[in-house]
Amino acid sequence: MKTLFSHLLMLLASTGFGYADSMDFYSLPPSGNEAALSLNGPWKFKYVTGQDAGPDEAFVNPTHDVSNWHEIKVPGHWELQGFATPRYAGDLADGLGLYRRTFKVAAPKPGERRYLRFEGALFGYVVWLNGKKLGEWNSGFNPATFDVTDALIPGDNVLAVRISTRSRGWDFDTMDCWSISGIYREVALYTLPATHLLDHVVRTELRPDGTAHVDLTVRASDKAELSATLVDPEGKAAGSCNISLGSDGQGRGSMVVANPRLWNAENPSLYRLKMELKVDAKVSQQLEQKVGLRQVTIQAGVLMLNGRPIKLRGVDHHEMWPEEGRVATEERLRKDLTLMRQANINFIRTSHYPPHPKLLDLADEMGFYVDCEVPFIHGREHLKDPAFQEDLYRRAKATVSRDKNHASIIFWSLGNENPVNPLGLNAGKFVKELDPTRPITFPTMGSHFRTNWEKFPAYVDLYSPHYPSGSTISDYAAKLERPIVATEYAHMRGISRGGKGLQDAWDAMYANPRAAGGAVWKFQDQGLLREAKDPATVTNGDLMVWLDEHRYYDTNGYFGVDGIVYSDRTPQVDYWWLRKVYSPIQIEAAPSLVAEANGGFKVVTENRHDFRSLAGHVLRWTLRRNQTALDSGDLRLTVQAKAKETLLIPAKVPAQAGDDVYALELRCLNPEGQSIYERSLRIDTGCDLSHRSSVVQKSLPETTSALIVDAAAIVVRNDRWSLRVDRQTGEVALTDAQGATLFSAAGPHTGRKLLITELGKRREGEAKYWSGELLKSPKDLRTSAEKTKDGYLLKVAGTYARPGHPDQGIAGEYEFAIRPSGAIKVAYHFLPVNAQDNLVETGFTLATPATQTEFRWLGMGPYANYPGKDRHAEYGLHHLGRDDLYFPGQRRGTELALLTSATGEGLLLAADGQTVSVEHRGAINLLTHVSEGGKNSKSKAKDEDKDEGVDNKSDFKASSLKSVSGHFVLVPLGKEWPAPLRSWFGAPGRQAETLHPFLRSYDQ
């Protein structure tokens, strides 16, 4: 059996990776200024089911007639251009794609070489030019280059490419994502001089004297002289060297840079490396590349950059866009990275393959750390076959060779969630020998890592367990002696409504030096734009995002809805959550601020940057009373990296604060004036959380109510509203004086619409979880009404069955206490009856008409927030429209919640600082007082001990339910609101600006 060393010699000496006439990958540096002919655009194309093209196998012959073939756009995918149906993961259709293109070239100058470059094509392919086979390539996410000098002819040339979805190792390039085929990255023909650069390697070593030693290794096609100059970010020469290349074309030189501007994600300083190749004193070739001076090290199990520990606030990123799949453009990539930067992300794992080269250029420029991944994902059975060792080496070399000079790449990862195996480890050792300046790691399934971490050899520098809980991260950090990067954690499938995936895990990462950080799975939903004549025919259509009645983003149901942004990059609530958790500036303050003795309010500002101080940053504060800004100002921030400072905000609340709502709004602005972190803090003016409810009730004029009781119904009526209880069904409804519905039903609440995470892959959650957003039709119904000393008391009692499970349920009663002011105090108390399985939410729900479009509240917002998922929520007066993307969900710490029509009619629910939830269901809204909204942040996540609880869930055991109990106050509202409400929320009639990008979407 060949030794690893013999493999390395063979690969390093080879220029063909074992494929006839194909070249060493890096022969064409992508930043070169050589003349290039783009071969993008329309090609002739034929799709063949299976692997037999029949007579069209002769398409490689230029005389073969393809005039009747269709055209296909390159770059592009044949599935997205109507030739086949997109398939997901390993369910890749067996087929061939036959491509033909004719192009013209002039005769070459003496000695010139011509090279054909494919940046990426899925899956394996064979290339012919003018009927001559150039070679083949079987790694769809790595580029390939072919020397076509001898095959080209002046004038018309015919290029033929045969792509197979059953090429050798094709399943290495499939993953939990869409498997779509074709030439999806650029194709170009390059012309180079006879003597040209083949490769160059730039490496930086930081010296104790503060200088940077820059080593440059060069390989050219022949003997030559090379001069290199390093130009600093200001355009000044920072170093130079001259290198004589021997007959083998190889040489090495170095430069010493004094006072270097070191690259890091916070200060991405880039130098320009200008190289000039000369033969016989004549310039043969010039090349320029941007490089960053930095050094990655590990000290005492801590990941370091430029001698400092760093924290990786990351996401996993697929190259996938709805309209064109994996076709990446600079515009698309820049948009993605800009969204990441605005979310305080500084780390990208290129899951699960090397990205488009432009992404790395942008990461260098904009400042992102990158884990660049060697692609072997599925196809795990091949990892037991030694015959595939060479395939892994080829993929590893192609990845490292192309991307090794990017400052942004701080480590390499190999494969994804493969078991520890000799073939993979050999490939890792090979990568380490190709590039000893960067760490390597193997992203590992959490359960496998737990029992196999000791099998990773010493040359595997980092550990990468997937989906660890916060407690697991702390345990590993104490036990393991290498840095830990969770290359996947906090799975964002659907819209999470609780759980511990992000906040607890990130807290543990930040607190433990050996936990360098991680990448949240993942950045965007994996949706392809599809059309359907009848939406009902779309499998799992309710798990998709619909733009209108026919167009939708197909995410393969359950599997592809795992982003913090939707497929079109509209931010989800989870995006705003991650932004606050990841913020490099944090503000610590009491939940309710109390003024200092000498005035003002103290807050603590923490700088979590790894390198930069907050010099140039500003803390902008605003003292707000109700809807009005009373005072504001800016404080300059100066705190150093990894330090805190206490600030006194010179805001003064008037001596007579009264019943008004006071909040201190804080915004941290970077030197460019962009807000990167915000807080809105409640100011304690002596009002408890029930005070404003009392103020509203006291402001209501008294009204005379009448009680009407007969066998059919109990009715309480006054000049403002009428409340009716049906004594046969127990149904309750409230109408205003004109007969318009304020709520059409009310009752106990033992469930909500299940989220995708709760439904499960096969909707198995439908049987596991309680439904019952609003329970009706109680057994043993009992209704009563009585006059009290200050009004009337109506009661409805009975046993409400769990839907679909008549032997389970809750039993008890709810009551409406009508007060002289017209306010209604609602209290409910139910006990579980044989309760089994799991619950996601309990409480008491009112069904209100869809005309109640305006949701205003005083509490935490504007985004839905839950136990364990609340750092994106801030205190204040909030307003959202019913159709707003961010409308549904719980709002914690709610004092007052108003759900009204545009003109003001509706309901005020006074919750005294408790939790209120809103949802929309067709023609109704569901307004819920939540008594139990999911596990709290200290409870244990599902399967946490196994590190397989990848999704944020908020369920709890029905057997743990003590009761469904609570109380709140309802105030029916007309067009004229009570004066206190107008002073806090403003007058009715103003409609909220609405973000409504979709007709409907999952988890909404």
Side-chain angles (χ1 to χ4, degrees), residues 749-800:
H749 171 87
T750 57
R752 50 165 168 72
K753 177 183 176 181
L754 292 179
L755 307 178
I756 290 178
T757 58
E758 295 154 350
L759 277 174
K761 296 179 182 179
R762 292 167 294 278
R763 297 181 180 260
E764 62 271 16
E766 291 179 336
K768 172 183 176 182
Y769 294 104
W770 283 50
S771 57
E773 293 177 305
L774 198 165
L775 297 180
K776 298 180 179 180
S777 304
K779 293 187 298 183
D780 304 321
L781 173 64
R782 301 178 303 281
T783 61
S784 64
E786 62 180 275
K787 182 172 175 50
T788 63
K789 63 179 181 179
D790 56 358
Y792 297 101
L793 182 65
L794 280 62
K795 292 185 178 182
V796 178
T799 300
Y800 292 81

Side-chain angles (χ1 to χ4, degrees), residues 464-486:
S464 294
H466 280 185
Y467 303 105
S469 65
S471 60
T472 298
I473 291 167
S474 297
D475 291 345
Y476 282 156
K479 177 174 69 174
L480 305 179
E481 296 182 353
R482 304 178 203 178
I484 302 161
V485 179

Side-chain angles (χ1 to χ4, degrees), residues 35 104 148 171 307 346 377 384 389 455 566 622 633 701 856 936 969 976 984:
K104 292 180 179 290
V148 298
D171 36 0
N346 71 352
I377 308 99
K384 301 176 183 179
Q389 183 72 78
K455 295 179 182 179
Y566 292 96
T622 301
R856 297 172 173 88
N936 62 43
V969 173
E976 296 295 326
W984 300 328

Side-chain angles (χ1 to χ4, degrees), residues 850-856 878-884 900-905 977 985-995:
T851 53
Q852 294 180 5
T853 59
E854 305 305 306
F855 179 43
R856 297 172 173 88
H878 306 285
H879 185 185
L880 284 175
R882 179 184 193 267
D883 290 334
D884 197 286
T900 70
S901 68
T903 52
E905 300 95 331
W977 287 357
F985 291 97
R990 181 174 63 88
Q991 293 181 268
E993 293 184 10
T994 299
L995 175 66

Side-chain angles (χ1 to χ4, degrees), residues 45-220:
F45 179 78
K46 184 171 185 179
Y47 176 70
V48 178
T49 301
Q51 295 297 304
D52 183 4
D56 281 320
E57 290 287 1
F59 86 109
V60 303
N61 187 330
T63 61
H64 187 78
D65 185 12
V66 297
S67 59
N68 291 327
W69 288 14
H70 295 282
E71 284 193 347
I72 192 171
K73 180 182 177 183
V74 172
H77 299 278
W78 66 61
E79 294 92 343
L80 301 187
Q81 298 185 55
F83 295 100
T85 300
R87 308 283 277 271
Y88 199 85
D91 183 31
L92 177 63
D94 182 0
L96 296 173
L98 309 181
Y99 288 78
R100 272 269 297 265
R101 164 92 190 227
T102 299
F103 62 94
K104 292 180 179 290
V105 294
K109 297 177 182 179
E112 277 186 341
R113 308 298 297 179
R114 303 276 179 87
Y115 301 106
L116 180 65
R117 165 86 150 221
F118 291 83
E119 291 293 344
L122 289 164
F123 289 75
Y125 53 98
V126 187
V127 185
W128 293 264
L129 183 61
N130 298 324
K132 180 181 179 180
K133 182 179 177 181
L134 300 177
E136 61 185 89
W137 187 243
N138 286 335
S139 186
F141 292 103
N142 294 121
T145 305
F146 303 92
D147 187 339
V148 298
T149 306
D150 298 333
L152 276 173
I153 57 176
D156 288 337
N157 289 262
V158 178
L159 178 61
V161 182
R162 182 185 192 270
I163 298 180
S164 170
T165 64
R166 289 299 182 269
S167 55
R168 178 180 174 84
W170 64 271
D171 36 0
F172 280 150
D173 289 330
T174 64
M175 62 204 79
D176 185 9
C177 188
W178 288 104
S179 294
I180 42 182
S181 319
I183 304 172
Y184 69 97
R185 288 180 183 166
E186 295 79 6
V187 185
L189 180 71
Y190 289 82
T191 300
L192 295 178
T195 302
H196 55 269
L197 287 169
L198 292 174
D199 198 359
H200 68 281
V201 183
V202 183
R203 292 174 178 168
T204 303
E205 181 184 353
L206 304 184
R207 299 292 176 84
D209 63 0
T211 61
H213 183 92
V214 181
D215 183 272
L216 176 62
T217 303
V218 178
R219 182 162 61 93

Side-chain angles (χ1 to χ4, degrees), residues 346-617:
N346 71 352
F347 169 57
I348 303 167
R349 177 191 177 212
T350 65
S351 50
H352 299 290
Y353 41 83
H356 190 286
K358 182 54 68 175
L359 183 142
L360 298 174
D361 291 339
L362 292 172
D364 292 344
E365 169 199 325
M366 298 173 67
F368 286 91
Y369 302 122
V370 173
D371 160 22
C372 191
E373 195 146 288
V374 176
F376 52 98
I377 308 99
H378 289 176
R380 295 184 178 101
E381 65 276 11
H382 302 320
L383 300 180
K384 301 176 183 179
D385 183 355
F388 280 89
Q389 183 72 78
E390 301 294 337
D391 297 77
L392 299 190
Y393 287 154
R394 281 192 290 271
R395 289 167 176 261
K397 186 178 183 188
T399 301
V400 175
S401 295
R402 190 194 73 171
D403 297 335
K404 58 187 175 294
N405 291 326
H406 283 282
S408 54
I409 297 176
I410 59 170
F411 64 89
W412 308 103
S413 59
L414 291 96
N416 179 62
E417 294 188 342
N418 299 310
V420 181
N421 66 91
L423 272 65
L425 292 176
N426 288 343
K429 188 173 184 181
F430 178 40
V431 169
K432 194 66 181 176
E433 296 195 21
L434 287 174
D435 181 13
T437 69
R438 290 181 176 93
I440 69 164
T441 191
F442 287 85
T444 311
M445 192 175 293
S447 56
H448 185 76
F449 182 87
R450 181 179 290 274
T451 55
N452 291 275
W453 64 269
E454 292 177 295
K455 295 179 182 179
F456 287 112
Y459 59 79
V460 179
D461 308 275
L462 311 175
Y463 290 127
S464 294
H466 280 185
Y467 303 105
S469 65
S471 60
T472 298
I473 291 167
S474 297
D475 291 345
Y476 282 156
K479 177 174 69 174
L480 305 179
E481 296 182 353
R482 304 178 203 178
I484 302 161
V485 179
T487 41
E488 291 179 27
Y489 83 105
H491 200 289
M492 291 293 175
R493 179 171 285 121
I495 307 296
S496 62
R497 295 203 176 188
K500 300 155 61 68
L502 178 61
Q503 288 182 191
D504 282 13
W506 179 250
D507 286 349
M509 290 175 187
Y510 192 77
N512 289 282
R514 284 182 179 160
V520 165
W521 186 267
K522 59 183 278 299
F523 177 65
Q524 86 280 14
D525 283 355
Q526 303 169 56
L528 298 177
L529 182 61
R530 307 284 297 277
E531 291 193 19
K533 291 183 179 180
D534 180 3
T537 64
V538 177
T539 302
N540 291 318
D542 60 324
L543 307 185
M544 313 290 188
V545 171
W546 290 80
L547 280 69
D548 52 40
E549 287 295 351
H550 301 289
R551 295 181 304 143
Y552 66 101
Y553 293 139
D554 188 349
T555 47
N556 194 43
Y558 170 93
F559 294 94
V561 287
D562 39 17
I564 60 171
V565 299
Y566 292 96
S567 302
D568 68 347
R569 276 45 175 183
T570 298
Q572 298 180 4
V573 170
D574 294 341
Y575 173 91
W576 303 111
W577 179 32
L578 179 137
R579 175 181 177 272
K580 294 294 284 289
V581 172
Y582 271 178
S583 175
I585 302 176
Q586 297 285 329
I587 294 176
E588 301 173 7
S592 187
L593 291 178
V594 177
E596 298 296 307
N598 296 324
F601 300 92
K602 280 187 178 180
V603 298
V604 176
T605 303
E606 180 182 11
N607 180 5
R608 292 189 169 188
H609 286 99
D610 298 314
F611 295 92
R612 69 186 300 177
S613 77
L614 295 187
H617 289 67

